[in-house]
Amino acid sequence: LTENLYKQAYVQEQTDLPLLVREDNARFLRREDVKRGGEDNVFYLWDRAKNKAVPAPGSEGLGRSTKLALAGLDPALEGRFEVVLADGRTIWVTTVFELLRRRILADYSPAQVAAITGVGAEAIVSLAREFAAARSVSIFGSWGIMKHHHSDLFQRGMLLLLALTGNVGKRGAGLKIGAWYMMSGLEE
C-alpha cells in the first residue's frame, strides 16, 4: 500500500473497498441515511467525477442486476467527505479502503509484521513487490490452515491480498484449499 502496488481499477470495481463508512457510527452509508424512506440495502461510494456520494453499483436494493461495471463512475479509495443526511445533519464519511490503509500502516508495517512472524522485513517487502508484479497469482494451502484458532483471519488476509492485486476471478489466480494424503505401499 505504501508503494501503491495495488490494482486500483480492480479494487474500485470488484471490491467493497470504495464503500463509504460513516465516521459518527462506523456503519456503511446507506440510502436510508440520506433519503427519507430510503432502502437499507443500497450502499454509497464517493464519485470523484461528480464530487458527491452516489449509490454503489451492485447494491442489492438497486435491483437484480449483477452488473458491477462502473459506467462512468470514478470511486474514491482514499479521503474524507461531507455528506448531508436526510435529517439535515452533516457528517463525515470515509472509504473502507481508507480505514484499511490506516490500520495496516499503523499496525502492520513490514518491521511490525517481521516481529510478529519471524520473517524478515526485507523478505516481506520483496514478496509483496513480486506478488503485485505477477501476471497471475494463486495461493494454495492445505486444509491445515483451517484448523487453527483464528484461521478465518489467515484466509481473509490471503483473500485481501489477492483482491488488492486483482487476483480473484481470473484464470490461474485465487485461493485454493486442498489436501494431499500420503499413501504407503503404492507403486507408481
Side-chain angles (χ1 to χ4, degrees):
L1 290 175
T2 58
E3 297 179 21
N4 296 318
L5 298 178
Y6 58 90
K7 304 285 190 268
Q8 180 176 325
Y10 183 91
V11 170
Q12 287 175 304
E13 183 178 272
Q14 296 295 320
T15 74
D16 64 355
L17 297 175
L19 293 182
L20 295 175
V21 177
R22 295 173 56 154
E23 291 187 355
D24 64 333
N25 64 12
R27 290 178 43 113
F28 286 118
L29 182 68
R30 302 164 191 257
R31 185 173 277 165
E32 69 180 354
D33 297 325
V34 297
K35 180 181 175 187
R36 291 202 190 281
E39 302 89 341
D40 67 352
N41 59 356
V42 175
F43 301 99
Y44 279 74
L45 53 82
W46 190 265
D47 183 9
R48 294 185 300 191
K50 295 177 183 167
N51 199 33
K52 69 177 189 173
V54 299
S59 290
E60 180 184 26
L62 294 178
R64 297 189 54 82
S65 172
T66 58
K67 283 181 88 173
L68 292 177
L70 295 176
L73 297 176
D74 183 17
L77 292 177
E78 299 179 60
R80 290 178 76 218
F81 313 98
E82 283 187 304
V83 172
V84 177
L85 300 179
D87 64 9
R89 289 183 298 137
T90 300
I91 62 163
W92 287 96
V93 295
T94 191
T95 66
V96 174
F97 183 89
E98 179 74 27
L99 295 171
L100 174 72
R101 189 173 195 285
R102 287 180 202 162
R103 178 70 189 271
I104 288 172
L105 295 180
D107 298 333
Y108 297 100
S109 70
Q112 290 166 305
V113 173
I116 295 167
T117 64
V119 176
E122 300 81 20
I124 292 168
V125 171
S126 177
L127 180 60
R129 289 177 180 149
E130 187 176 332
F131 201 102
R135 188 175 52 121
S136 185
V137 176
S138 179
I139 297 174
F140 192 91
S142 73
W143 291 108
I145 65 171
M146 297 187 308
K147 295 183 178 189
H148 297 280
H149 188 64
H150 295 308
S151 62
D152 61 321
L153 300 177
F154 302 159
Q155 293 173 52
R156 288 176 189 218
M158 290 183 260
L159 290 168
L160 176 60
L161 181 58
L162 290 165
L164 287 171
T165 57
N167 282 293
V168 177
K170 70 179 186 182
R171 174 172 251 159
L175 175 61
K176 319 257 189 293
I177 306 291
W180 293 281
Y181 296 96
M182 301 295 287
M183 303 176 106
S184 60
L186 296 179
E187 296 185 5
E188 293 184 43

mmCIF file of all heavy atoms in Angstrom, residues 69-100:
data_model
loop_
_atom_site.group_PDB
_atom_site.id
_atom_site.type_symbol
_atom_site.label_atom_id
_atom_site.label_comp_id
_atom_site.label_asym_id
_atom_site.label_seq_id
_atom_site.Cartn_x
_atom_site.Cartn_y
_atom_site.Cartn_z
ATOM 1 N N ALA A 69 -20.096 -3.025 -13.488
ATOM 2 C CA ALA A 69 -19.368 -2.044 -14.281
ATOM 3 C C ALA A 69 -19.646 -0.643 -13.751
ATOM 4 O O ALA A 69 -20.770 -0.293 -13.422
ATOM 5 C CB ALA A 69 -19.767 -2.149 -15.745
ATOM 6 N N LEU A 70 -18.604 0.141 -13.668
ATOM 7 C CA LEU A 70 -18.726 1.465 -13.056
ATOM 8 C C LEU A 70 -19.393 2.489 -13.968
ATOM 9 O O LEU A 70 -19.855 3.518 -13.494
ATOM 10 C CB LEU A 70 -17.353 1.949 -12.610
ATOM 11 C CG LEU A 70 -16.747 1.103 -11.494
ATOM 12 C CD1 LEU A 70 -15.340 1.573 -11.164
ATOM 13 C CD2 LEU A 70 -17.612 1.138 -10.258
ATOM 14 N N ALA A 71 -19.456 2.232 -15.257
ATOM 15 C CA ALA A 71 -20.195 3.080 -16.203
ATOM 16 C C ALA A 71 -20.012 4.568 -15.938
ATOM 17 O O ALA A 71 -20.959 5.284 -15.641
ATOM 18 C CB ALA A 71 -21.672 2.707 -16.190
ATOM 19 N N GLY A 72 -18.782 5.043 -16.016
ATOM 20 C CA GLY A 72 -18.522 6.468 -15.870
ATOM 21 C C GLY A 72 -18.244 6.932 -14.461
ATOM 22 O O GLY A 72 -17.885 8.082 -14.249
ATOM 23 N N LEU A 73 -18.438 6.071 -13.483
ATOM 24 C CA LEU A 73 -18.132 6.445 -12.103
ATOM 25 C C LEU A 73 -16.631 6.344 -11.848
ATOM 26 O O LEU A 73 -15.952 5.503 -12.424
ATOM 27 C CB LEU A 73 -18.861 5.532 -11.113
ATOM 28 C CG LEU A 73 -20.378 5.571 -11.128
ATOM 29 C CD1 LEU A 73 -20.939 4.541 -10.156
ATOM 30 C CD2 LEU A 73 -20.890 6.955 -10.787
ATOM 31 N N ASP A 74 -16.134 7.180 -10.968
ATOM 32 C CA ASP A 74 -14.729 7.149 -10.564
ATOM 33 C C ASP A 74 -14.675 7.102 -9.036
ATOM 34 O O ASP A 74 -14.497 8.133 -8.379
ATOM 35 C CB ASP A 74 -13.993 8.374 -11.104
ATOM 36 C CG ASP A 74 -12.515 8.358 -10.791
ATOM 37 O OD1 ASP A 74 -11.975 7.284 -10.438
ATOM 38 O OD2 ASP A 74 -11.880 9.425 -10.890
ATOM 39 N N PRO A 75 -14.849 5.909 -8.450
ATOM 40 C CA PRO A 75 -14.917 5.804 -6.995
ATOM 41 C C PRO A 75 -13.609 6.191 -6.304
ATOM 42 O O PRO A 75 -12.538 5.726 -6.690
ATOM 43 C CB PRO A 75 -15.209 4.322 -6.748
ATOM 44 C CG PRO A 75 -15.725 3.800 -8.038
ATOM 45 C CD PRO A 75 -15.066 4.616 -9.104
ATOM 46 N N ALA A 76 -13.725 7.035 -5.299
ATOM 47 C CA ALA A 76 -12.565 7.385 -4.473
ATOM 48 C C ALA A 76 -12.227 6.185 -3.606
ATOM 49 O O ALA A 76 -13.117 5.488 -3.118
ATOM 50 C CB ALA A 76 -12.890 8.589 -3.599
ATOM 51 N N LEU A 77 -10.952 5.969 -3.405
ATOM 52 C CA LEU A 77 -10.500 4.936 -2.476
ATOM 53 C C LEU A 77 -9.987 5.561 -1.184
ATOM 54 O O LEU A 77 -9.992 4.924 -0.145
ATOM 55 C CB LEU A 77 -9.405 4.074 -3.104
ATOM 56 C CG LEU A 77 -9.856 3.191 -4.261
ATOM 57 C CD1 LEU A 77 -8.666 2.439 -4.852
ATOM 58 C CD2 LEU A 77 -10.940 2.228 -3.831
ATOM 59 N N GLU A 78 -9.547 6.803 -1.261
ATOM 60 C CA GLU A 78 -8.996 7.470 -0.094
ATOM 61 C C GLU A 78 -9.682 8.811 0.106
ATOM 62 O O GLU A 78 -10.205 9.393 -0.833
ATOM 63 C CB GLU A 78 -7.493 7.686 -0.279
ATOM 64 C CG GLU A 78 -6.707 6.394 -0.442
ATOM 65 C CD GLU A 78 -5.237 6.638 -0.653
ATOM 66 O OE1 GLU A 78 -4.609 7.236 0.242
ATOM 67 O OE2 GLU A 78 -4.720 6.247 -1.711
ATOM 68 N N GLY A 79 -9.656 9.283 1.349
ATOM 69 C CA GLY A 79 -10.175 10.608 1.645
ATOM 70 C C GLY A 79 -11.315 10.604 2.639
ATOM 71 O O GLY A 79 -11.831 9.562 3.016
ATOM 72 N N ARG A 80 -11.687 11.819 3.048
ATOM 73 C CA ARG A 80 -12.838 12.068 3.916
ATOM 74 C C ARG A 80 -13.765 13.004 3.169
ATOM 75 O O ARG A 80 -13.311 13.932 2.497
ATOM 76 C CB ARG A 80 -12.410 12.751 5.208
ATOM 77 C CG ARG A 80 -11.620 11.903 6.145
ATOM 78 C CD ARG A 80 -11.217 12.701 7.377
ATOM 79 N NE ARG A 80 -12.359 12.861 8.279
ATOM 80 C CZ ARG A 80 -12.617 13.956 8.979
ATOM 81 N NH1 ARG A 80 -11.845 15.018 8.892
ATOM 82 N NH2 ARG A 80 -13.658 14.010 9.784
ATOM 83 N N PHE A 81 -15.064 12.806 3.341
ATOM 84 C CA PHE A 81 -16.033 13.578 2.585
ATOM 85 C C PHE A 81 -17.210 13.937 3.488
ATOM 86 O O PHE A 81 -17.579 13.175 4.376
ATOM 87 C CB PHE A 81 -16.530 12.763 1.387
ATOM 88 C CG PHE A 81 -15.410 12.118 0.614
ATOM 89 C CD1 PHE A 81 -15.071 10.798 0.825
ATOM 90 C CD2 PHE A 81 -14.662 12.850 -0.293
ATOM 91 C CE1 PHE A 81 -14.036 10.194 0.136
ATOM 92 C CE2 PHE A 81 -13.612 12.263 -0.988
ATOM 93 C CZ PHE A 81 -13.302 10.932 -0.774
ATOM 94 N N GLU A 82 -17.817 15.093 3.217
ATOM 95 C CA GLU A 82 -19.007 15.510 3.958
ATOM 96 C C GLU A 82 -20.250 15.070 3.205
ATOM 97 O O GLU A 82 -20.329 15.207 1.986
ATOM 98 C CB GLU A 82 -19.031 17.028 4.125
ATOM 99 C CG GLU A 82 -18.099 17.545 5.191
ATOM 100 C CD GLU A 82 -18.282 19.026 5.421
ATOM 101 O OE1 GLU A 82 -18.161 19.787 4.438
ATOM 102 O OE2 GLU A 82 -18.565 19.413 6.573
ATOM 103 N N VAL A 83 -21.211 14.557 3.970
ATOM 104 C CA VAL A 83 -22.477 14.105 3.403
ATOM 105 C C VAL A 83 -23.599 14.681 4.254
ATOM 106 O O VAL A 83 -23.526 14.687 5.477
ATOM 107 C CB VAL A 83 -22.559 12.560 3.402
ATOM 108 C CG1 VAL A 83 -23.935 12.078 2.987
ATOM 109 C CG2 VAL A 83 -21.494 11.963 2.499
ATOM 110 N N VAL A 84 -24.649 15.165 3.587
ATOM 111 C CA VAL A 84 -25.829 15.664 4.290
ATOM 112 C C VAL A 84 -26.829 14.521 4.417
ATOM 113 O O VAL A 84 -27.197 13.892 3.428
ATOM 114 C CB VAL A 84 -26.462 16.860 3.540
ATOM 115 C CG1 VAL A 84 -27.723 17.319 4.258
ATOM 116 C CG2 VAL A 84 -25.463 17.991 3.387
ATOM 117 N N LEU A 85 -27.246 14.267 5.642
ATOM 118 C CA LEU A 85 -28.200 13.198 5.910
ATOM 119 C C LEU A 85 -29.630 13.661 5.653
ATOM 120 O O LEU A 85 -29.893 14.861 5.515
ATOM 121 C CB LEU A 85 -28.067 12.729 7.361
ATOM 122 C CG LEU A 85 -26.708 12.170 7.761
ATOM 123 C CD1 LEU A 85 -26.714 11.764 9.233
ATOM 124 C CD2 LEU A 85 -26.313 10.994 6.885
ATOM 125 N N ALA A 86 -30.555 12.723 5.631
ATOM 126 C CA ALA A 86 -31.967 13.029 5.391
ATOM 127 C C ALA A 86 -32.532 13.978 6.436
ATOM 128 O O ALA A 86 -33.430 14.774 6.139
ATOM 129 C CB ALA A 86 -32.781 11.736 5.357
ATOM 130 N N ASP A 87 -31.990 13.944 7.665
ATOM 131 C CA ASP A 87 -32.498 14.827 8.718
ATOM 132 C C ASP A 87 -31.825 16.204 8.706
ATOM 133 O O ASP A 87 -32.065 17.025 9.584
ATOM 134 C CB ASP A 87 -32.357 14.168 10.094
ATOM 135 C CG ASP A 87 -30.906 13.932 10.502
ATOM 136 O OD1 ASP A 87 -29.973 14.416 9.831
ATOM 137 O OD2 ASP A 87 -30.700 13.240 11.520
ATOM 138 N N GLY A 88 -30.964 16.451 7.709
ATOM 139 C CA GLY A 88 -30.317 17.754 7.560
ATOM 140 C C GLY A 88 -28.953 17.869 8.216
ATOM 141 O O GLY A 88 -28.229 18.827 7.971
ATOM 142 N N ARG A 89 -28.593 16.900 9.069
ATOM 143 C CA ARG A 89 -27.264 16.940 9.688
ATOM 144 C C ARG A 89 -26.187 16.642 8.641
ATOM 145 O O ARG A 89 -26.434 15.920 7.682
ATOM 146 C CB ARG A 89 -27.139 15.888 10.800
ATOM 147 C CG ARG A 89 -27.918 16.188 12.040
ATOM 148 C CD ARG A 89 -27.690 15.134 13.115
ATOM 149 N NE ARG A 89 -28.139 13.822 12.651
ATOM 150 C CZ ARG A 89 -27.474 12.683 12.822
ATOM 151 N NH1 ARG A 89 -26.329 12.671 13.450
ATOM 152 N NH2 ARG A 89 -27.958 11.553 12.374
ATOM 153 N N THR A 90 -25.006 17.207 8.869
ATOM 154 C CA THR A 90 -23.856 16.915 8.020
ATOM 155 C C THR A 90 -22.891 16.039 8.802
ATOM 156 O O THR A 90 -22.583 16.315 9.954
ATOM 157 C CB THR A 90 -23.148 18.217 7.593
ATOM 158 O OG1 THR A 90 -24.082 19.022 6.862
ATOM 159 C CG2 THR A 90 -21.956 17.931 6.714
ATOM 160 N N ILE A 91 -22.443 14.961 8.160
ATOM 161 C CA ILE A 91 -21.486 14.049 8.802
ATOM 162 C C ILE A 91 -20.295 13.835 7.867
ATOM 163 O O ILE A 91 -20.349 14.144 6.683
ATOM 164 C CB ILE A 91 -22.121 12.684 9.141
ATOM 165 C CG1 ILE A 91 -22.588 11.988 7.857
ATOM 166 C CG2 ILE A 91 -23.231 12.820 10.158
ATOM 167 C CD1 ILE A 91 -22.855 10.517 8.012
ATOM 168 N N TRP A 92 -19.231 13.285 8.446
ATOM 169 C CA TRP A 92 -18.061 12.897 7.665
ATOM 170 C C TRP A 92 -18.131 11.407 7.373
ATOM 171 O O TRP A 92 -18.562 10.615 8.207
ATOM 172 C CB TRP A 92 -16.776 13.203 8.429
ATOM 173 C CG TRP A 92 -16.461 14.653 8.485
ATOM 174 C CD1 TRP A 92 -16.756 15.523 9.503
ATOM 175 C CD2 TRP A 92 -15.793 15.416 7.484
ATOM 176 N NE1 TRP A 92 -16.316 16.781 9.192
ATOM 177 C CE2 TRP A 92 -15.708 16.748 7.954
ATOM 178 C CE3 TRP A 92 -15.257 15.119 6.245
ATOM 179 C CZ2 TRP A 92 -15.120 17.761 7.223
ATOM 180 C CZ3 TRP A 92 -14.659 16.126 5.512
ATOM 181 C CH2 TRP A 92 -14.597 17.432 5.996
ATOM 182 N N VAL A 93 -17.707 11.056 6.167
ATOM 183 C CA VAL A 93 -17.594 9.654 5.777
ATOM 184 C C VAL A 93 -16.201 9.434 5.199
ATOM 185 O O VAL A 93 -15.530 10.383 4.792
ATOM 186 C CB VAL A 93 -18.673 9.253 4.739
ATOM 187 C CG1 VAL A 93 -20.069 9.343 5.330
ATOM 188 C CG2 VAL A 93 -18.567 10.082 3.461
ATOM 189 N N THR A 94 -15.799 8.194 5.182
ATOM 190 C CA THR A 94 -14.549 7.805 4.542
ATOM 191 C C THR A 94 -14.787 6.468 3.868
ATOM 192 O O THR A 94 -15.884 5.908 3.952
ATOM 193 C CB THR A 94 -13.380 7.761 5.548
ATOM 194 O OG1 THR A 94 -12.151 7.631 4.826
ATOM 195 C CG2 THR A 94 -13.529 6.626 6.546
ATOM 196 N N THR A 95 -13.792 5.934 3.205
ATOM 197 C CA THR A 95 -13.957 4.671 2.495
ATOM 198 C C THR A 95 -13.430 3.504 3.327
ATOM 199 O O THR A 95 -12.592 3.679 4.214
ATOM 200 C CB THR A 95 -13.207 4.691 1.153
ATOM 201 O OG1 THR A 95 -11.804 4.771 1.409
ATOM 202 C CG2 THR A 95 -13.662 5.845 0.279
ATOM 203 N N VAL A 96 -13.905 2.313 3.011
ATOM 204 C CA VAL A 96 -13.383 1.110 3.638
ATOM 205 C C VAL A 96 -11.881 1.019 3.355
ATOM 206 O O VAL A 96 -11.093 0.681 4.235
ATOM 207 C CB VAL A 96 -14.115 -0.147 3.125
ATOM 208 C CG1 VAL A 96 -13.472 -1.420 3.657
ATOM 209 C CG2 VAL A 96 -15.596 -0.098 3.474
ATOM 210 N N PHE A 97 -11.474 1.350 2.128
ATOM 211 C CA PHE A 97 -10.053 1.318 1.764
ATOM 212 C C PHE A 97 -9.237 2.235 2.666
ATOM 213 O O PHE A 97 -8.164 1.845 3.145
ATOM 214 C CB PHE A 97 -9.878 1.733 0.299
ATOM 215 C CG PHE A 97 -8.455 1.659 -0.177
ATOM 216 C CD1 PHE A 97 -7.948 0.493 -0.717
ATOM 217 C CD2 PHE A 97 -7.629 2.764 -0.108
ATOM 218 C CE1 PHE A 97 -6.630 0.424 -1.155
ATOM 219 C CE2 PHE A 97 -6.311 2.709 -0.545
ATOM 220 C CZ PHE A 97 -5.813 1.530 -1.069
ATOM 221 N N GLU A 98 -9.730 3.439 2.905
ATOM 222 C CA GLU A 98 -9.019 4.390 3.764
ATOM 223 C C GLU A 98 -8.859 3.839 5.175
ATOM 224 O O GLU A 98 -7.777 3.925 5.774
ATOM 225 C CB GLU A 98 -9.760 5.728 3.803
ATOM 226 C CG GLU A 98 -9.126 6.777 4.688
ATOM 227 C CD GLU A 98 -7.869 7.397 4.103
ATOM 228 O OE1 GLU A 98 -7.717 7.434 2.869
ATOM 229 O OE2 GLU A 98 -7.024 7.840 4.906
ATOM 230 N N LEU A 99 -9.908 3.252 5.715
ATOM 231 C CA LEU A 99 -9.837 2.663 7.053
ATOM 232 C C LEU A 99 -8.851 1.499 7.093
ATOM 233 O O LEU A 99 -8.053 1.368 8.026
ATOM 234 C CB LEU A 99 -11.222 2.209 7.510
ATOM 235 C CG LEU A 99 -12.251 3.320 7.714
ATOM 236 C CD1 LEU A 99 -13.633 2.729 7.960
ATOM 237 C CD2 LEU A 99 -11.833 4.245 8.842
ATOM 238 N N LEU A 100 -8.907 0.656 6.068
ATOM 239 C CA LEU A 100 -7.978 -0.462 5.971
ATOM 240 C C LEU A 100 -6.539 0.031 5.863
ATOM 241 O O LEU A 100 -5.649 -0.457 6.558
ATOM 242 C CB LEU A 100 -8.332 -1.314 4.748
ATOM 243 C CG LEU A 100 -7.366 -2.444 4.424
ATOM 244 C CD1 LEU A 100 -7.499 -3.561 5.440
ATOM 245 C CD2 LEU A 100 -7.607 -2.952 3.015
#
